[in-house]
Amino acid sequence: MTSVGTTQTRQGLGSRLAALARLVELGPGRVDPKLLAETGQLLLRAGDRLKLSSDHTVVALAGGTGSGKSTLFNSVSGLELSPTGVRRPTTARTHACVWGLDGAGPLLDWLQIQWRHRFARASALDKGEGLLHGLILLDLPDHDSIRALTDTEADRLIQVADLVVWVLDPQKYADASTHRRYVTELAGHEAVTIFVLNQVDRLEPDELAECVSDLESLLRREGVEDPIIVTTSAITGEGVDGLKAVLAQTVARRRAAVQRLEADLDRITLRLAKAMPADGTPAPSASIDDARRIGLTDALCDAVGVPAIGEAMENVYGVRSMEWVGWPYTRWIAKLRPDPLNSLRLGDLRDEIRGLTGGSVSAQPAEVDNAVQALADGLTSGMHEAWRNGVRDAARSRSAQLPEVLSEELSEVAPRLDRVPFWWRLLLIWQYLLVLLFLAGLAWFGTALAYGVFGAGAPPAGLTVFGEAASLPWVGLMILSVLGLGLLTAVASRNFVSLGAGNAREQLEREMRRRVGGVATNMVIEPVERELTRYNEFYSAMRGVQG
């Protein structure tokens, strides 16, 4: 029956594995593909093992040629199940001895143990070995044999066994083929790894102590912090009961499978953690703050020349108003001088404004790219290089289309230089009405001067009233009043034009900024926020895997 502690451990492991699965989903492009593949294999292996019997513990005897591994297997099982030899390896296929066969079948199938190589301890033979109930003992092929070069069965089972027992002999216990290929890779698996120094019957007591001490030092140097070393002699039986006791303790706890998966998980977590900040820098917010949004909008507005467009529009607005709301006499006098519009090259200015909003924005990709780059750099401080590049790539994902889209957006709100406000037309009518009054006053003044002062004769019938000299002061006052009213109207309208030009510029720039901000949000900020969300989820999943 599974204990409460084991159940809780399995639940904790399940949460970590779920977080690991999330890392595999989020990792492509940010984590080494080989590492992701290994992580996926671990997930599959863990899922398969946790679904199979938790009442059985898979213990693999692994070792090189001549280590006495098969002899030790037979000694532990108490039966001659695995063939042994002196000069060459005789274990071509994995043999399994099962203490308690009920429920072990699916697990043996998953281990791919052939039926003819499965052996069950009969109840009559289990007398006195009840503590080993639930043990599945595997005798693996020699990992350094010629067959192992083309058959990876030993390697595969070493990866999936709940507990690995390395059988070493006094002559080759430091063999590189074992330590470099396996022991170093299993550093951190002390709880599910046992080292057996076999054939101790060949050593004197002092030689045995020296070998054990040397083996322990070697293992510690390779990262095995607290190695479990058992000494045996499969031939004489010395130490075999001690090994059985260690195996019995492991089987009784029913935790080896979980411990092995936890050790594998811990090891791969350390490698995955390299994609995270080394100093534990907290993850940035997945939402870009208002200050950075405004900064990006400002930079893009500068890149596409929004201030220049507004200033040019204001200037053109003021110059064009001279044709409509200025004093007519001033305009007529100006006709005798060079055209101020030509001196201002207004036609070129119109083309320039249209160009700024119609296509020349694409001529500033460097400034647009700098604005986007500045945003990405400000968000990725402390990130791992892979994620930093991911945020940059997200920010630039649509940078090629960004100038064109900005151009299209701004062209919709580009100022119409030929647009004339309605009140300008009314002022023009008013000014010409005053001109007519002025001309009428001059005519009246001339008539009164000619007939009333100089006595040029009798005025025509119906114009008698206009020929009286007494009307001269009033006519002169009217003429001066009309001139003054016209000048006052011109000055006031110019002030209104300046005020209107400023307001129009502010409105234009505000609308352009709104549109630039919308484009920046859709084409830069949203992709970056998706990448930041992915990074935060990876960050959280990493914390979940670490437990």
Side-chain angles (χ1 to χ4, degrees):
M1 184 175 181
T2 305
S3 66
V4 174
T6 303
T7 301
Q8 292 175 345
T9 300
R10 292 171 68 91
Q11 290 175 345
L13 178 61
S15 298
R16 294 182 66 191
L17 291 173
L20 188 67
R22 186 60 178 150
L23 289 183
V24 173
E25 294 177 8
L26 298 169
R30 305 294 176 265
V31 180
D32 179 32
K34 182 178 178 181
L35 178 57
L36 280 182
E38 293 180 23
T39 305
Q41 292 172 1
L42 172 58
L43 285 170
L44 291 175
R45 185 166 72 248
D48 290 342
R49 182 63 186 93
L50 292 175
K51 287 186 295 185
L52 297 170
S53 175
S54 61
D55 294 328
H56 288 84
T57 301
V58 180
V59 178
L61 294 181
T65 305
S67 63
K69 171 176 53 61
S70 296
T71 304
L72 185 62
F73 174 81
N74 292 334
S75 181
V76 173
S77 64
L79 299 171
E80 291 295 325
L81 301 178
S82 188
T84 61
V86 178
R87 296 186 178 179
R88 61 184 177 84
T90 56
T91 307
R93 287 298 177 188
T94 301
H95 292 68
C97 183
V98 184
W99 280 259
L101 193 58
D102 291 342
L107 182 54
L108 291 169
D109 292 340
W110 179 66
L111 294 171
Q112 300 177 25
I113 306 300
Q114 297 178 1
W115 279 93
R116 66 178 181 272
H117 294 149
R118 301 179 185 181
F119 305 96
R121 288 299 303 262
S123 58
L125 297 175
D126 283 340
K127 186 176 181 180
E129 296 190 0
L131 293 178
L132 293 178
H133 183 80
L135 171 64
I136 298 178
L137 186 64
L138 305 180
D139 180 20
L140 305 186
D142 301 330
H143 67 78
D144 57 354
S145 66
I146 296 177
R147 184 183 184 88
L149 297 177
T150 57
D151 191 342
T152 60
E153 183 173 350
D155 289 349
R156 177 179 60 81
L157 291 172
I158 288 172
Q159 292 294 323
V160 300
D162 302 332
L163 176 71
V164 179
V165 177
W166 286 100
V167 182
L168 309 172
D169 67 87
Q171 293 181 335
K172 297 191 298 181
Y173 66 83
D175 182 55
S177 65
T178 298
H179 289 267
R180 291 180 182 175
R181 288 180 57 191
Y182 301 103
V183 177
T184 302
E185 290 298 317
L186 291 176
H189 290 62
E190 290 88 346
V192 289
T193 306
I194 298 174
F195 298 91
V196 173
L197 185 61
N198 194 28
Q199 302 176 5
V200 297
D201 56 291
R202 299 180 180 181
L203 300 175
E204 296 296 329
D206 57 338
E207 293 175 332
L208 175 59
E210 183 179 353
C211 282
V212 171
S213 177
D214 186 51
L215 175 59
E216 183 176 1
S217 298
L218 176 62
L219 293 173
R220 290 183 184 277
R221 288 195 301 271
E222 291 174 339
V224 184
E225 296 182 358
D226 191 16
I228 301 174
I229 300 177
V230 179
T231 59
T232 64
S233 172
I235 295 179
T236 65
E238 178 183 351
V240 174
D241 287 340
L243 176 60
K244 285 184 177 181
V246 174
L247 296 180
Q249 291 176 0
T250 301
V251 172
R253 287 195 298 266
R254 300 287 192 268
R255 293 193 68 250
V258 172
Q259 286 179 315
R260 172 59 192 269
L261 293 175
E262 287 178 336
D264 290 342
L265 188 55
D266 289 341
R267 182 172 181 81
I268 210 162
T269 297
L270 290 176
R271 298 169 64 190
L272 287 168
K274 294 179 181 179
M276 303 302 294
D279 58 357
T281 302
S285 172
S287 177
I288 297 178
D289 57 89
D290 291 340
R292 286 193 170 91
R293 289 173 179 266
I294 294 173
L296 176 62
T297 300
D298 288 342
L300 290 178
C301 285
D302 291 339
V304 299
V306 167
I309 297 173
E311 182 179 1
M313 188 280 298
E314 184 178 17
N315 292 335
V316 172
Y317 192 89
V319 172
R320 280 195 57 83
S321 68
M322 296 172 59
E323 302 175 1
W324 294 86
V325 301
W327 211 15
Y329 312 107
T330 305
R331 291 199 302 273
W332 295 333
I333 295 174
K335 295 290 185 180
L336 304 177
R337 299 195 302 267
D339 189 351
L341 297 181
N342 292 334
S343 65
L344 288 175
R345 302 181 65 183
L346 180 58
D348 293 341
L349 186 57
R350 291 192 184 99
D351 294 339
E352 181 180 351
I353 292 175
R354 292 193 180 97
L356 285 170
T357 60
S360 65
V361 174
S362 60
Q364 305 296 329
E367 294 185 22
V368 173
D369 188 67
N370 288 340
V372 173
Q373 181 69 34
L375 174 71
D377 290 343
L379 293 168
T380 56
S381 177
M383 280 189 184
H384 185 272
E385 183 66 25
W387 288 101
R388 209 159 43 232
N389 291 336
V391 173
R392 290 171 181 167
D393 292 343
R396 294 173 174 171
S397 60
R398 302 182 66 184
S399 59
Q401 298 84 24
L402 186 56
E404 181 180 355
V405 173
L406 286 171
S407 172
E408 292 175 354
E409 283 291 325
L410 297 186
S411 65
E412 295 181 5
V413 294
R416 290 186 55 187
L417 301 182
D418 56 348
R419 180 179 62 86
V420 177
F422 180 71
W423 68 275
W424 286 14
R425 300 181 184 275
L426 294 179
L427 278 175
L428 183 64
I429 294 173
W430 169 251
Q431 289 282 17
Y432 277 107
L433 178 61
L434 292 178
V435 169
L436 292 176
L437 290 175
F438 175 73
L439 294 177
L442 287 180
W444 189 350
F445 190 86
T447 302
L449 190 64
Y451 292 104
V453 176
F454 297 108
L463 296 179
T464 305
V465 67
F466 295 104
E468 296 179 359
S471 64
L472 284 175
W474 300 104
V475 174
L477 180 60
M478 183 193 72
I479 292 175
L480 292 176
S481 298
V482 169
L483 289 175
L485 185 58
L487 179 60
L488 181 62
T489 301
V491 172
S493 60
R494 290 293 297 167
N495 291 334
F496 281 115
V497 166
S498 298
L499 181 62
N503 291 335
R505 175 181 180 176
E506 292 179 3
Q507 183 178 0
L508 174 66
E509 292 185 359
R510 186 164 52 249
E511 177 62 15
M512 285 186 169
R513 281 185 57 83
R514 186 187 68 80
R515 296 205 175 211
V516 170
V519 172
T521 297
N522 294 332
M523 301 187 68
V524 180
I525 291 177
E526 288 182 357
V528 169
E529 287 184 335
R530 284 194 294 269
E531 183 65 18
L532 290 176
T533 298
R534 178 184 176 188
Y535 176 75
N536 275 270
E537 291 178 359
F538 188 92
Y539 197 100
S540 298
M542 194 71 219
R543 295 292 176 262
V545 172
Q546 291 171 338

